[in-house]
């Protein structure tokens, strides 16, 4: 898998990765991972951080990459799991959990959809030495599904369901991902968002004002609609 | 001739599997053209990865996106069609096919109770899957289309007023595309469906159907509406945003508008985006039980868009 018509930088990272390798990841680079990756999202965070349950497995020694995703998976008659496609879920909803989670688990790589609010990188990720990788597309579920060599373990499947369970995957050339935030907290989405924002006013110039200034056309709730 | 219910069940199951895995050729072609024109380096890489992903999905027979959306059905019944169990039986087998495909493909069991978050693990539940019915004069077949639409982002509704005119529609579309396009929450480039007019619920329904049931490149028969479709598409692509919200030019792969006569004082408008996993598949079950598969739902027939009081019917003898 490559990008024949592009000049983007491609990094193949073996997990666990050392400080230096993680520190060298630049925003906008394309990353493929080989090693152990686990999934955890609100169900797991709530159970561990909200309700105080112990982790069912020592994540610190097992994996440093938390994937915000829910796989399309089904149990096979032999008790193993068939993972069809894997797609990330939007991470911004989880940023309130992330500081405690990173400290508890030693996670250094967070993978998900859409990144987190720009300020949170500085507040949450940078102090914990963590980077954020975004999935591409985001519907590259089949490519990511291919990268999963096997399901190593799954925890809390009955209680939390397929989407929310804690899955531990052995992965190989798992990707593509794009580095959204590096160890210094630079954010690719933020940079691109700013560039796009600079042109927004021009898009609306010349369009007549709306007849009704209801919420949606304005965000001032004190204003009369007429 | 009466259609055997097993034929319907088999066809429904088959389109469930096809929709999840194989991207429709019209959408694939549309994205290939956008990729050739895309100005942003990262946005272009995303489209490249998407094309690889579709190939991987088809080759491995695995879903293209793990969010396998909310599977649902659109059924068009020929006025002369008869099904052995009657149409309640059709609804039963559509629910069965959904449950079976969820286990076999596998699809993600996405359907949960809105408050209790409880589920049956098979994408079947209260009011789910939705089954929309329409009719077609002079035909004895049954068309079943399934759509697996994902996307929590990219849908909106607004009551505009006649004075808002096309500018109001443009503001609404820009607002939605910019808001949901940032960071690529809408998983663009998307097929943009616009519902215009009707009452609030038909407005939403028309926009959804416009996004999901017309193929890339299809134009509305009313030349004025067709021109507006192209104008809104160009507007979306002029935002300067591409796939994943990166700087670029690929936001809207096509725009489809469907209209309904509305209240004289208002102009309701809705928007829906059909994402990078634009999943749909259609089967036609003929009266003799033969089944044909296709990727164009052919949902918006002249009869469906009718505006008169009279139309042809054939009386059965
Ligand atoms: S919006 Fe579409 S492509 Fe994106 S995650 Fe959902 S189903 Fe997949």
């Amino acid at each position: 898998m490559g990008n024949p018509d592009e000049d983007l930088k491609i990094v193949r990272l073996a997990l666990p990765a050392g400080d230096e390798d993680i520190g060298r990841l630049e925003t906008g680079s394309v990353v493929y991972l080989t090693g152990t990756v686990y999934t955890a999202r609100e169900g797991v965070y709530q159970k561990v951080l909200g309700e105080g349950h112990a982790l069912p497995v020592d994540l610190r020694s097992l994996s440093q990459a938390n994937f915000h995703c829910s796989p399309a998976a089904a149990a096979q008659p032999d008790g193993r799991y068939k993972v069809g496609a894997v797609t990330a879920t939007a991470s911004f909803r989880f940023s309130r959990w992330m500081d405690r989670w990173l400290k508890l688990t030693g996670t250094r790589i967070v993978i998900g959809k859409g990144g987190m609010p720009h300020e949170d990188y500085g507040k949450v990720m940078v102090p914990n030495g963590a980077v954020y990788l975004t999935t591409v597309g985001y519907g590259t579920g089949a490519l990511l599904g291919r990268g999963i060599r096997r399901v190593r373990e799954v925890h809390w499947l009955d209680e939390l369901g397929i989407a929310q369970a804690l899955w531990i995957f052995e992965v190989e050339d798992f990707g593509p991902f794009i580095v959204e935030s590096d160890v210094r907290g630079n954010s690719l989405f933020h940079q691109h968002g700013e560039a796009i924002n600079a042109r927004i006013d021009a898009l609306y110039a010349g369009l007549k004002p709306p007849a009704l200034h209801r919420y949606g056309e304005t965000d001032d709730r004190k204003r009369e609609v007429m | 001739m009466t259609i055997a219910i097993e034929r319907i069940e088999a066809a429904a199951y088959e389109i469930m599997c096809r929709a999840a895995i194989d991207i429709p050729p019209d959408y694939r072609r549309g994205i290939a053209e956008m990729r050739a024109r895309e100005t942003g380096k990262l946005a272009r890489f995303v489209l490249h990865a998407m094309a690889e992903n579709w190939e991987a999905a088809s080759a491995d027979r695995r879903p293209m996106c793990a969010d396998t959306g909310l599977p649902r059905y659109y059924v068009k019944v020929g006025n002369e069609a008869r099904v052995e169990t009657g149409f309640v039986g059709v609804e039963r087998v559509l629910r069965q096919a959904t449950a079976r495909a969820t286990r076999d493909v596998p699809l993600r069991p996405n359907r949960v109770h809105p408050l209790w978050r409880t589920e049956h693990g098979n994408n079947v539940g209260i009011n789910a899957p939705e089954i929309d019915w329409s009719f077609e004069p002079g035909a004895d077949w049954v068309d079943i289309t399934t759509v697996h639409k994902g996307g929590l982002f990219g849908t909106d509704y607004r009551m505009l007023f006649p004075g808002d005119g096309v500018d109001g529609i443009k503001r609404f579309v820009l607002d939605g595309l910019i808001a949901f396009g940032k960071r690529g929450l809408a998983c663009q480039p998307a097929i943009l469906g616009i519902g215009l007019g009707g009452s609030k619920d038909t407005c939403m329904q028309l926009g959804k159907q416009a996004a999901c049931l017309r193929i890339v490149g299809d134009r509305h028969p009313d030349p004025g509406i067709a021109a507006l479709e192209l104008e809104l598409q160009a507007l979306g692509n002029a935002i300067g945003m591409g796939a994943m919200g990166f700087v670029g030019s690929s936001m809207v792969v096509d725009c489809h508008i469907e209209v309904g006569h509305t209240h004289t004082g208002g102009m309701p408008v809705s928007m829906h985006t059909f994402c990078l996993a634009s999943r749909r598949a259609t089967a036609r079950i003929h009266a003799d039980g033969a089944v044909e598969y296709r990727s164009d739902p052919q949902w918006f027939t002249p009869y469906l868009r009718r505006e008169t009081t009279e139309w042809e019917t054939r009386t059965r003898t």
Side-chain angles (χ1 to χ4, degrees):
Chain A
M1 263 166 284
N3 54 336
D5 53 353
E6 306 298 342
D7 52 356
L8 298 175
K9 188 161 166 190
I10 297 193
V11 182
R12 292 182 194 277
L13 200 62
L15 300 176
D19 285 346
E20 234 175 83
D21 289 330
I22 293 175
R24 265 206 302 267
L25 293 174
E26 296 165 34
T27 57
S29 294
V30 177
V31 178
Y32 294 89
L33 301 173
T34 298
T36 308
V37 168
Y38 71 92
T39 72
R41 49 186 297 183
E42 67 269 38
V44 170
Y45 297 153
Q46 172 60 28
K47 217 168 156 55
V48 176
L49 302 175
E51 295 161 22
H53 290 269
L55 281 168
V57 50
D58 180 20
L59 283 176
R60 191 174 283 273
S61 65
L62 200 60
S63 169
Q64 58 182 182
N66 179 181
F67 194 5
H68 289 154
C69 94
S70 29
Q76 303 291 91
D78 63 3
R80 297 174 11 146
Y81 293 92
K82 174 180 171 188
V83 178
V86 192
T87 298
T89 193
S91 300
F92 70 90
R93 299 171 286 171
F94 312 138
S95 58
R96 67 190 180 101
W97 298 110
M98 289 321 290
D99 184 46
R100 288 166 62 205
W101 183 256
L102 296 177
K103 290 199 162 67
L104 179 74
T105 60
T107 297
R108 302 287 302 279
I109 299 174
V110 177
I111 310 166
K113 169 176 176 172
M116 306 199 300
H118 183 211
E119 316 77 64
D120 287 359
Y121 292 124
K123 274 198 298 234
V124 177
M125 302 286 278
V126 173
N128 291 295
V131 297
Y132 187 98
L133 308 182
T134 175
T135 53
V136 174
Y138 295 94
T140 48
L143 279 183
L144 293 178
R146 262 188 185 177
I148 295 181
R149 284 285 159 258
R150 81 187 175 95
V151 175
R152 181 184 166 133
E153 295 165 40
V154 56
H155 299 276
W156 292 331
L157 184 59
D158 291 340
E159 292 160 78
L160 298 177
I162 288 176
Q164 295 280 348
L166 197 163
W167 295 86
I168 299 175
F169 298 134
E170 301 292 353
V171 303
E172 191 180 326
D173 262 332
F174 188 43
F177 305 111
I178 295 176
V179 182
E180 136 70 356
S181 172
D182 60 17
V183 281
R184 284 164 294 281
N186 295 311
S187 160
L188 186 68
F189 282 126
H190 183 70
Q191 290 156 11
H192 281 251
E194 296 279 280
I196 290 160
N197 285 347
R199 299 180 37 175
I200 285 180
D201 286 347
L203 289 166
Y204 289 84
L207 297 178
K208 66 178 174 232
L212 194 74
H213 292 271
R214 43 165 267 175
Y215 194 72
E217 289 279 15
T218 168
D219 57 6
D220 182 354
R221 290 188 174 81
K222 293 187 186 132
R223 228 170 129 170
E224 280 203 85
V225 296
M226 293 167 53
Chain B
M1 260 195 286
T2 302
I3 301 173
I5 193 67
E6 293 77 40
R7 303 301 297 157
I8 304 236
E9 215 271 342
Y13 176 78
E14 178 63 23
I15 55 173
M16 286 292 285
C17 301
R18 289 186 187 214
I21 294 171
D22 299 307
I23 198 81
D26 57 286
Y27 184 78
R28 184 191 282 262
R29 219 177 304 120
I31 293 297
E33 284 165 20
M34 293 206 98
R35 188 178 147 200
R37 286 194 306 266
E38 174 56 75
T39 51
K41 195 162 76 170
L42 278 163
R44 197 161 56 230
F45 174 72
V46 177
L47 298 184
H48 169 79
M50 288 314 308
E52 277 192 341
N53 180 63
W54 295 330
E55 275 157 34
S58 286
D60 300 0
R61 307 312 296 159
R62 60 169 98 225
M64 64 183 89
C65 179
D67 181 349
T68 48
L70 292 181
R72 60 179 300 157
Y73 297 96
Y74 295 89
V75 186
K76 193 182 283 298
V77 181
N79 193 40
E80 322 299 325
R82 297 292 175 270
V83 179
E84 102 193 314
T85 56
F87 291 101
V88 170
V90 173
E91 294 206 316
R92 182 186 306 119
V93 297
L94 292 184
R95 293 170 79 85
Q96 283 164 352
T98 306
R100 206 147 65 82
T102 300
R103 187 195 58 212
D104 294 353
V105 174
L107 306 178
R108 198 166 81 191
N110 274 340
R111 293 277 193 174
V112 299
H113 186 284
L115 271 179
W116 324 136
R117 313 313 283 183
T118 49
E119 58 172 316
H120 304 306
N122 58 7
N123 281 313
V124 175
I126 303 170
N127 277 314
E130 296 84 352
I131 304 172
D132 287 21
W133 296 87
S134 72
F135 303 98
E136 189 63 15
D140 58 2
W141 39 252
V142 175
D143 268 4
I144 302 176
T145 295
T146 184
V147 168
H148 301 184
K149 191 177 177 303
L152 308 175
F153 311 104
T155 302
D156 207 356
Y157 166 85
R158 196 175 291 171
M159 176 59 87
L160 299 176
F161 294 88
D164 284 315
V166 170
D167 275 5
I169 299 170
K170 286 184 177 169
R171 297 177 69 88
F172 170 71
V173 167
L174 281 175
D175 287 352
L177 290 178
I178 291 170
F180 294 119
K182 290 251 175 85
R183 297 172 188 246
L185 292 181
C187 290
Q188 68 264 18
I191 302 176
L192 173 63
I194 303 287
L196 195 55
S199 52
K200 195 170 289 179
D201 53 341
T202 40
C203 180
M204 286 304 281
Q205 195 178 25
L206 285 170
K208 172 99 172 208
Q209 295 181 357
C212 300
L213 300 176
R214 287 174 56 192
I215 64 172
V216 173
D218 180 44
R219 290 279 69 82
H220 196 278
D222 176 337
I225 298 294
L228 186 58
E229 290 177 341
L230 294 174
E231 204 178 332
L232 294 181
Q233 182 193 7
L235 181 71
N237 291 333
I239 292 173
M241 186 152 53
M244 288 181 75
F246 293 134
V247 169
S249 56
S250 307
M251 189 73 199
V252 180
V253 62
D254 203 355
C255 172
H256 297 136
I257 303 174
E258 288 299 326
V259 298
H261 280 196
T262 191
H263 190 286
T264 182
M267 185 173 68
V269 58
S270 75
M271 67 180 278
H272 302 254
T273 54
F274 204 15
C275 60
L276 267 170
S278 280
R279 292 162 294 205
R280 56 170 137 75
T282 301
R284 173 164 295 180
I285 303 100
H286 290 276
D288 64 2
V291 183
E292 281 174 289
Y293 296 99
R294 60 178 201 264
S295 58
D296 181 354
Q298 297 170 15
W299 176 255
F300 286 99
T301 59
Y303 174 71
L304 200 72
R305 292 186 179 121
R306 66 196 179 273
E307 51 177 313
T308 56
T309 50
E310 284 310 313
W311 48 86
E312 251 178 78
T313 44
R314 217 192 299 157
T315 347
R316 278 172 75 84
T317 45

